[in-house]
Amino acid sequence: MTSGIVVQENADKLEPPLGADTHGHPQGLGRLALGAVGVVFGDIGTSPLYAFRETFAGHHTLEPSPANVLGVLSLIFWSMMIVVTIKYVSIIMRADNKGEGGSLALLALISRSGSTKARWTKGLILLGVFATALFYGDSMITPAMSVLTAVEGLAVVNHHFGSFVIPIAVGILVGLFAIQSRGVGKVGLLFGPIMLVYFLVLAVLGIVNIIAAPEVFAALNPYYAFRFFVDDGIRAFLAMGSVVLAVTGAEALYADMGHFGRRPIGLSWLVFVLPALMLNYLGQGAMFLSATPAELTRIIHNPFFLMAPENVRLPLVILATMATVIASQAVISGAFSVTQQAIQLGFMPRLRIEHTSASSAGQIYIPAVNWALMIMVMLLVLFFRTSSNLAAAYGIAVSGAMLIDTCLIAVVLFNLWKWNKIVAGLMVAAFFLVDGAYFAANMTKVPDGGWFPLLMGFIIFTLLTTWARGRSLMIERMREAAIPVPVFVRSAVNSATRVPGTAVFMTSSAGGVPHALLHNLKHNKVLHERVILLTVKIEDVPYVNATKRIWFEDLESGFYRLVVRYGFMEEPDVPAALALATECGAKFKMMDTSFFLARQTLIASSRPGMAIWREKLFAWMLRNAESAMEFFRLPTNRVVELGSQVEI
């Protein structure tokens, strides 16, 4: 492609292998653990607002009998232990890609290992991409669901506030998306303390209510979960569709690992977050056990806020709203980070990326993603109107992503880590059983709203795979017409006039002559004294060691090939990279350097490769991609674009 960007798997074999930096965490363990409480656990931390309620008063109602209450609580506890503690904290977070986590990072780790058989590689890539697509669906639902649930607490404080719930929720969400462009670095400093107070309040509310019915601790025995299924298997299975809401956000632990590290996240979860969450869930269950039938009718629709005395419910609503805003912020920031990874790995066209912090490379803002998310979140709030209706749409994306993570970690256990096959097999089977059951239970909610995340997932999956496939076809078509560099150099040197200065021709292929160079010679009939064929290559590691940023080859007669390497968490900066290139003659001066880019116009054809509609979709995505000039930070007054047509 014309942008000059290429992912590692398309690289030529001539370059030597390189190492990559692992980025450490210089801050103290305690400070990082506090930061993790504020960012990583926002989503799962707000689950008590709705998870227990939806199990009994959701779309598949469940009688709040003592046996059912203990069975649900047992399911919640053991789901947290198996899915979050064992699967994510203890195992998946060990599978980091140079310190980074998330589905795309895990996919890159598996691809780089080369231990997977070729026939499985394509399927694994599609699974990883679909997990990413589901994450975007989750990014739309989480802010709508969490903020709406918290604001609905106003109706518990005073039923006259009920009519203000949607306007207030919309106002909060619009404000949240509006401040994204300013960065959340300073606001983020408050996240940890606010969430610390929030989790402490969860624990205190739980303890106060447990005192009235301490027998609720029996739910920690897995016997009650087993008995729940034995007594009424169908209702227990349907209840899993709501119980899974208690572990939504578990995948965020892995995705945010690069920001905080495995140990701080694990420490925060085991020592603070898990106990606080379980105490609150047990408190809600104890309230059910100690309530009279008349009281149950009142509390079943909003047990979280009714746990608190009447005089502190309004402060609790305010605290819960702040917690849900923090949870939403974490999801939005995660969408920006995942988008950046997808762009760098070749699954998405270039988009404008703005840095919101001079000191933290991870704090970015992507306008197109921000406003698209805001529009979808607004539509969700206005269409579903209540958190109970939204709960039907919530869970499918998360359970689907968790199921895919299990598929990917199975490859890691068997192929990368070479675990004992019996141990790994039993563990993977347990994960598949739990994740599969949760996903199947959530599929029953498709008619009630579960169709939304699936629809969004398939649309985004189509966009991601269309871009990746179209990009691959374009590079292939351009290579078909490429002229070998040695042949071109010999003929061009003898026929063209050399002019002073440096010309940098961006090319996506580390072989052959760029189309922009051919067009420039054809129309202008001149060559600069120094000609650089520059390829930006995105490796499947998060960060590339600065000492191995540049690969250089002298093509003779003033021609040089440069390959600039970046990790998929880094942003390309071509002028900064050229400053590191010392083997290509004199030092680069931007005022003496011209950058030549080729801008292709795609022509859809009946050639094998993609369906016509996908070719037209790819052409539309290409036309709307961010300019290569801005993406690579090229000086605006030193860029020349040359057009050409490519048939795919």
Side-chain angles (χ1 to χ4, degrees), residues 52 55-56 60-76 216 219 224-225 227-233 235-236 239 243 285 288-289:
F52 193 74
T55 307
F56 292 95
H60 302 296
T61 57
L62 184 67
E63 182 187 353
S65 64
N68 287 345
V69 169
L70 293 177
V72 168
L73 289 173
S74 188
L75 273 178
I76 290 175
V216 76
Y224 288 94
R227 180 180 165 185
F228 186 32
F229 279 92
V230 171
D231 291 345
D232 194 342
R235 289 194 178 277
V243 170
F288 276 37
L289 294 178

Side-chain angles (χ1 to χ4, degrees), residues 116 127 209 584 622:
T116 308
L127 278 177
N209 285 272
C584 303
L622 184 64

Side-chain angles (χ1 to χ4, degrees), residues 564-583:
V564 183
R565 294 180 169 99
Y566 290 95
F568 61 78
M569 292 297 291
E570 298 179 282
E571 287 193 51
D573 187 337
V574 168
L578 290 177
L580 300 174
T582 57
E583 299 92 347

Side-chain angles (χ1 to χ4, degrees), residues 5 59 94 122 126 134 199 205 211 226 239 317 333 337 339 361 419 436 449 465 471 477 491 582 594 606:
I5 190 171
H59 285 74
R94 291 169 173 257
K122 185 175 181 180
L126 292 178
L134 288 175
F199 281 115
L205 288 175
I211 293 173
F226 175 75
V317 170
S333 299
S337 179
T339 300
W419 275 29
T465 53
R471 185 173 173 273
R477 301 293 187 254
S491 61
T582 57
S594 297
S606 58

Side-chain angles (χ1 to χ4, degrees), residues 379-450:
L379 290 176
L380 283 170
V381 171
L382 296 174
F383 180 78
F384 286 95
R385 302 194 70 79
T386 69
S387 61
S388 237
N389 291 336
L390 263 173
Y394 204 27
I396 289 185
V398 174
S399 57
M402 288 180 177
L403 186 59
I404 292 173
D405 282 345
T406 297
C407 297
L408 297 178
I409 201 62
V411 177
V412 172
L413 293 180
F414 285 105
N415 288 14
L416 269 68
W417 294 348
K418 307 293 184 183
W419 275 29
N420 179 282
K421 291 186 177 180
I422 296 177
V423 174
L426 290 173
M427 191 168 291
V428 169
F431 293 157
F432 270 122
L433 178 65
V434 173
D435 292 336
Y438 275 131
F439 184 69
N442 273 281
M443 290 300 289
T444 64
K445 299 192 293 185
V446 169
D448 298 316

Side-chain angles (χ1 to χ4, degrees), residues 88-266:
Y88 278 96
V89 173
S90 300
I91 296 178
I92 289 188
M93 286 178 62
R94 291 169 173 257
D96 66 292
N97 187 0
K98 302 295 182 181
E100 293 294 332
S103 297
L104 286 178
L106 182 57
L107 184 63
L109 174 67
I110 294 172
S111 300
R112 191 174 73 250
S113 70
S115 59
T116 308
K117 293 182 180 179
R119 68 176 182 272
W120 294 105
T121 302
K122 185 175 181 180
L124 288 173
I125 291 174
L126 292 178
L127 278 177
V129 173
F130 192 61
T132 302
L134 288 175
F135 174 81
Y136 283 106
D138 186 37
S139 300
M140 299 170 191
I141 298 176
T142 296
M145 176 72 179
S146 55
V147 172
L148 197 54
T149 304
V151 178
E152 283 173 346
L154 289 173
V156 178
V157 175
N158 189 319
H159 70 276
H160 294 295
F161 291 155
S163 58
F164 297 103
V165 168
I166 291 180
I168 292 174
V170 168
I172 290 172
L173 289 166
V174 169
L176 176 62
F177 283 100
I179 66 171
Q180 295 301 311
S181 60
R182 300 181 182 180
V184 293
K186 293 180 180 178
V187 180
L189 295 175
L190 299 175
F191 284 5
I194 290 175
M195 292 304 294
L196 194 65
V197 171
Y198 172 75
F199 281 115
L200 285 173
V201 170
L202 289 187
V204 170
L205 288 175
I207 292 170
V208 168
N209 285 272
I210 288 171
I211 293 173
E215 64 269 20
V216 76
F217 278 111
L220 302 184
N221 188 336
Y223 164 76
Y224 288 94
F226 175 75
R227 180 180 165 185
F228 186 32
F229 279 92
V230 171
D231 291 345
D232 194 342
I234 294 178
R235 289 194 178 277
F237 171 74
L238 293 175
M240 292 186 73
S242 297
V243 170
V244 74
L245 299 178
V247 294
T248 54
E251 71 284 359
L253 277 66
Y254 182 49
D256 287 323
M257 184 169 58
H259 297 291
F260 299 98
R262 181 165 63 93
R263 287 186 61 205
I265 291 176

